[in-house]
PDB file of all heavy atoms in Angstrom:
ATOM      1  N   SER H 321     -22.177  -6.249  -5.296  1.00  0.00           N
ATOM      2  CA  SER H 321     -22.469  -7.672  -5.521  1.00  0.00           C
ATOM      3  C   SER H 321     -22.488  -7.984  -7.014  1.00  0.00           C
ATOM      4  O   SER H 321     -22.008  -9.033  -7.447  1.00  0.00           O
ATOM      5  CB  SER H 321     -23.822  -8.044  -4.902  1.00  0.00           C
ATOM      6  OG  SER H 321     -23.669  -8.173  -3.520  1.00  0.00           O
ATOM      7  N   ILE H 322     -23.045  -7.066  -7.796  1.00  0.00           N
ATOM      8  CA  ILE H 322     -23.099  -7.285  -9.251  1.00  0.00           C
ATOM      9  C   ILE H 322     -21.678  -7.396  -9.813  1.00  0.00           C
ATOM     10  O   ILE H 322     -21.338  -8.356 -10.509  1.00  0.00           O
ATOM     11  CB  ILE H 322     -23.856  -6.140  -9.976  1.00  0.00           C
ATOM     12  CG1 ILE H 322     -25.349  -6.158  -9.614  1.00  0.00           C
ATOM     13  CG2 ILE H 322     -23.675  -6.242 -11.500  1.00  0.00           C
ATOM     14  CD1 ILE H 322     -26.157  -4.982 -10.167  1.00  0.00           C
ATOM     15  N   VAL H 323     -20.828  -6.429  -9.471  1.00  0.00           N
ATOM     16  CA  VAL H 323     -19.491  -6.430 -10.076  1.00  0.00           C
ATOM     17  C   VAL H 323     -18.637  -7.578  -9.535  1.00  0.00           C
ATOM     18  O   VAL H 323     -17.834  -8.157 -10.260  1.00  0.00           O
ATOM     19  CB  VAL H 323     -18.792  -5.047  -9.938  1.00  0.00           C
ATOM     20  CG1 VAL H 323     -18.419  -4.708  -8.522  1.00  0.00           C
ATOM     21  CG2 VAL H 323     -17.549  -4.972 -10.834  1.00  0.00           C
ATOM     22  N   LYS H 324     -18.852  -7.954  -8.275  1.00  0.00           N
ATOM     23  CA  LYS H 324     -18.076  -9.086  -7.709  1.00  0.00           C
ATOM     24  C   LYS H 324     -18.414 -10.370  -8.468  1.00  0.00           C
ATOM     25  O   LYS H 324     -17.539 -11.111  -8.906  1.00  0.00           O
ATOM     26  CB  LYS H 324     -18.379  -9.218  -6.216  1.00  0.00           C
ATOM     27  CG  LYS H 324     -17.400 -10.083  -5.427  1.00  0.00           C
ATOM     28  CD  LYS H 324     -17.737 -11.542  -5.405  1.00  0.00           C
ATOM     29  CE  LYS H 324     -16.788 -12.352  -4.568  1.00  0.00           C
ATOM     30  NZ  LYS H 324     -17.017 -13.802  -4.644  1.00  0.00           N
ATOM     31  N   ALA H 325     -19.729 -10.638  -8.613  1.00  0.00           N
ATOM     32  CA  ALA H 325     -20.139 -11.866  -9.299  1.00  0.00           C
ATOM     33  C   ALA H 325     -19.752 -11.817 -10.776  1.00  0.00           C
ATOM     34  O   ALA H 325     -19.174 -12.770 -11.316  1.00  0.00           O
ATOM     35  CB  ALA H 325     -21.644 -12.073  -9.153  1.00  0.00           C
ATOM     36  N   TYR H 326     -20.034 -10.701 -11.432  1.00  0.00           N
ATOM     37  CA  TYR H 326     -19.793 -10.583 -12.875  1.00  0.00           C
ATOM     38  C   TYR H 326     -18.297 -10.695 -13.187  1.00  0.00           C
ATOM     39  O   TYR H 326     -17.884 -11.474 -14.056  1.00  0.00           O
ATOM     40  CB  TYR H 326     -20.351  -9.246 -13.381  1.00  0.00           C
ATOM     41  CG  TYR H 326     -20.432  -9.175 -14.885  1.00  0.00           C
ATOM     42  CD1 TYR H 326     -21.565  -9.613 -15.563  1.00  0.00           C
ATOM     43  CD2 TYR H 326     -19.366  -8.680 -15.641  1.00  0.00           C
ATOM     44  CE1 TYR H 326     -21.644  -9.559 -16.948  1.00  0.00           C
ATOM     45  CE2 TYR H 326     -19.437  -8.632 -17.031  1.00  0.00           C
ATOM     46  CZ  TYR H 326     -20.581  -9.070 -17.677  1.00  0.00           C
ATOM     47  OH  TYR H 326     -20.642  -9.022 -19.040  1.00  0.00           O
ATOM     48  N   ALA H 327     -17.501  -9.913 -12.456  1.00  0.00           N
ATOM     49  CA  ALA H 327     -16.059  -9.898 -12.736  1.00  0.00           C
ATOM     50  C   ALA H 327     -15.438 -11.266 -12.500  1.00  0.00           C
ATOM     51  O   ALA H 327     -14.642 -11.743 -13.309  1.00  0.00           O
ATOM     52  CB  ALA H 327     -15.365  -8.849 -11.862  1.00  0.00           C
ATOM     53  N   SER H 328     -15.806 -11.919 -11.401  1.00  0.00           N
ATOM     54  CA  SER H 328     -15.164 -13.203 -11.090  1.00  0.00           C
ATOM     55  C   SER H 328     -15.568 -14.276 -12.100  1.00  0.00           C
ATOM     56  O   SER H 328     -14.749 -15.098 -12.502  1.00  0.00           O
ATOM     57  CB  SER H 328     -15.475 -13.640  -9.660  1.00  0.00           C
ATOM     58  OG  SER H 328     -16.872 -13.749  -9.460  1.00  0.00           O
ATOM     59  N   GLU H 329     -16.827 -14.263 -12.531  1.00  0.00           N
ATOM     60  CA  GLU H 329     -17.276 -15.280 -13.493  1.00  0.00           C
ATOM     61  C   GLU H 329     -16.707 -15.018 -14.891  1.00  0.00           C
ATOM     62  O   GLU H 329     -16.228 -15.930 -15.567  1.00  0.00           O
ATOM     63  CB  GLU H 329     -18.810 -15.306 -13.542  1.00  0.00           C
ATOM     64  CG  GLU H 329     -19.399 -15.845 -12.248  1.00  0.00           C
ATOM     65  CD  GLU H 329     -20.900 -15.634 -12.127  1.00  0.00           C
ATOM     66  OE1 GLU H 329     -21.583 -15.433 -13.157  1.00  0.00           O
ATOM     67  OE2 GLU H 329     -21.403 -15.669 -10.984  1.00  0.00           O
ATOM     68  N   LYS H 330     -16.761 -13.761 -15.316  1.00  0.00           N
ATOM     69  CA  LYS H 330     -16.265 -13.449 -16.658  1.00  0.00           C
ATOM     70  C   LYS H 330     -14.748 -13.568 -16.730  1.00  0.00           C
ATOM     71  O   LYS H 330     -14.190 -13.943 -17.768  1.00  0.00           O
ATOM     72  CB  LYS H 330     -16.707 -12.052 -17.094  1.00  0.00           C
ATOM     73  CG  LYS H 330     -18.210 -11.890 -17.195  1.00  0.00           C
ATOM     74  CD  LYS H 330     -18.835 -12.853 -18.196  1.00  0.00           C
ATOM     75  CE  LYS H 330     -20.347 -12.728 -18.220  1.00  0.00           C
ATOM     76  NZ  LYS H 330     -20.989 -13.751 -19.074  1.00  0.00           N
ATOM     77  N   ALA H 331     -14.065 -13.256 -15.622  1.00  0.00           N
ATOM     78  CA  ALA H 331     -12.603 -13.398 -15.621  1.00  0.00           C
ATOM     79  C   ALA H 331     -12.220 -14.855 -15.860  1.00  0.00           C
ATOM     80  O   ALA H 331     -11.323 -15.151 -16.649  1.00  0.00           O
ATOM     81  CB  ALA H 331     -12.009 -12.906 -14.294  1.00  0.00           C
ATOM     82  N   ASP H 332     -12.921 -15.765 -15.186  1.00  0.00           N
ATOM     83  CA  ASP H 332     -12.650 -17.190 -15.415  1.00  0.00           C
ATOM     84  C   ASP H 332     -12.783 -17.526 -16.900  1.00  0.00           C
ATOM     85  O   ASP H 332     -11.953 -18.226 -17.479  1.00  0.00           O
ATOM     86  CB  ASP H 332     -13.675 -18.046 -14.650  1.00  0.00           C
ATOM     87  CG  ASP H 332     -13.160 -18.450 -13.280  1.00  0.00           C
ATOM     88  OD1 ASP H 332     -12.069 -17.998 -12.903  1.00  0.00           O
ATOM     89  OD2 ASP H 332     -13.867 -19.211 -12.606  1.00  0.00           O
ATOM     90  N   ALA H 333     -13.862 -17.022 -17.503  1.00  0.00           N
ATOM     91  CA  ALA H 333     -14.117 -17.315 -18.924  1.00  0.00           C
ATOM     92  C   ALA H 333     -13.033 -16.692 -19.807  1.00  0.00           C
ATOM     93  O   ALA H 333     -12.556 -17.329 -20.761  1.00  0.00           O
ATOM     94  CB  ALA H 333     -15.495 -16.787 -19.315  1.00  0.00           C
ATOM     95  N   ILE H 334     -12.621 -15.472 -19.482  1.00  0.00           N
ATOM     96  CA  ILE H 334     -11.597 -14.790 -20.297  1.00  0.00           C
ATOM     97  C   ILE H 334     -10.253 -15.528 -20.199  1.00  0.00           C
ATOM     98  O   ILE H 334      -9.583 -15.741 -21.208  1.00  0.00           O
ATOM     99  CB  ILE H 334     -11.447 -13.309 -19.842  1.00  0.00           C
ATOM    100  CG1 ILE H 334     -12.707 -12.517 -20.194  1.00  0.00           C
ATOM    101  CG2 ILE H 334     -10.206 -12.661 -20.460  1.00  0.00           C
ATOM    102  CD1 ILE H 334     -12.795 -11.141 -19.530  1.00  0.00           C
ATOM    103  N   ILE H 335      -9.896 -15.906 -18.980  1.00  0.00           N
ATOM    104  CA  ILE H 335      -8.599 -16.589 -18.815  1.00  0.00           C
ATOM    105  C   ILE H 335      -8.631 -17.940 -19.533  1.00  0.00           C
ATOM    106  O   ILE H 335      -7.670 -18.338 -20.196  1.00  0.00           O
ATOM    107  CB  ILE H 335      -8.242 -16.745 -17.314  1.00  0.00           C
ATOM    108  CG1 ILE H 335      -8.247 -15.378 -16.615  1.00  0.00           C
ATOM    109  CG2 ILE H 335      -6.864 -17.415 -17.164  1.00  0.00           C
ATOM    110  CD1 ILE H 335      -8.261 -15.442 -15.098  1.00  0.00           C
ATOM    111  N   ASN H 336      -9.765 -18.627 -19.421  1.00  0.00           N
ATOM    112  CA  ASN H 336      -9.928 -19.928 -20.083  1.00  0.00           C
ATOM    113  C   ASN H 336      -9.795 -19.778 -21.598  1.00  0.00           C
ATOM    114  O   ASN H 336      -9.146 -20.588 -22.275  1.00  0.00           O
ATOM    115  CB  ASN H 336     -11.310 -20.474 -19.718  1.00  0.00           C
ATOM    116  CG  ASN H 336     -11.321 -21.977 -19.611  1.00  0.00           C
ATOM    117  OD1 ASN H 336     -10.339 -22.638 -19.941  1.00  0.00           O
ATOM    118  ND2 ASN H 336     -12.423 -22.523 -19.150  1.00  0.00           N
ATOM    119  N   GLU H 337     -10.384 -18.739 -22.137  1.00  0.00           N
ATOM    120  CA  GLU H 337     -10.325 -18.497 -23.575  1.00  0.00           C
ATOM    121  C   GLU H 337      -8.928 -18.044 -23.994  1.00  0.00           C
ATOM    122  O   GLU H 337      -8.451 -18.403 -25.073  1.00  0.00           O
ATOM    123  CB  GLU H 337     -11.406 -17.455 -23.935  1.00  0.00           C
ATOM    124  CG  GLU H 337     -11.951 -17.504 -25.322  1.00  0.00           C
ATOM    125  CD  GLU H 337     -12.585 -18.823 -25.760  1.00  0.00           C
ATOM    126  OE1 GLU H 337     -12.302 -19.887 -25.190  1.00  0.00           O
ATOM    127  OE2 GLU H 337     -13.343 -18.786 -26.744  1.00  0.00           O
ATOM    128  N   SER H 338      -8.250 -17.296 -23.119  1.00  0.00           N
ATOM    129  CA  SER H 338      -6.858 -16.909 -23.410  1.00  0.00           C
ATOM    130  C   SER H 338      -5.989 -18.161 -23.500  1.00  0.00           C
ATOM    131  O   SER H 338      -5.113 -18.278 -24.360  1.00  0.00           O
ATOM    132  CB  SER H 338      -6.302 -15.995 -22.306  1.00  0.00           C
ATOM    133  OG  SER H 338      -7.040 -14.815 -22.229  1.00  0.00           O
ATOM    134  N   LEU H 339      -6.260 -19.097 -22.592  1.00  0.00           N
ATOM    135  CA  LEU H 339      -5.522 -20.371 -22.602  1.00  0.00           C
ATOM    136  C   LEU H 339      -5.740 -21.085 -23.935  1.00  0.00           C
ATOM    137  O   LEU H 339      -4.807 -21.631 -24.526  1.00  0.00           O
ATOM    138  CB  LEU H 339      -5.993 -21.228 -21.420  1.00  0.00           C
ATOM    139  CG  LEU H 339      -5.218 -22.497 -21.090  1.00  0.00           C
ATOM    140  CD1 LEU H 339      -5.366 -22.829 -19.595  1.00  0.00           C
ATOM    141  CD2 LEU H 339      -5.652 -23.696 -21.904  1.00  0.00           C
TER     142      LEU H 339
END
Side-chain angles (χ1 to χ4, degrees):
S321 283
I322 292 174
V323 69
K324 195 272 183 186
Y326 193 89
S328 58
E329 291 168 21
K330 298 300 177 186
D332 266 5
I334 292 167
I335 304 165
N336 213 352
E337 207 58 338
S338 298
L339 190 153

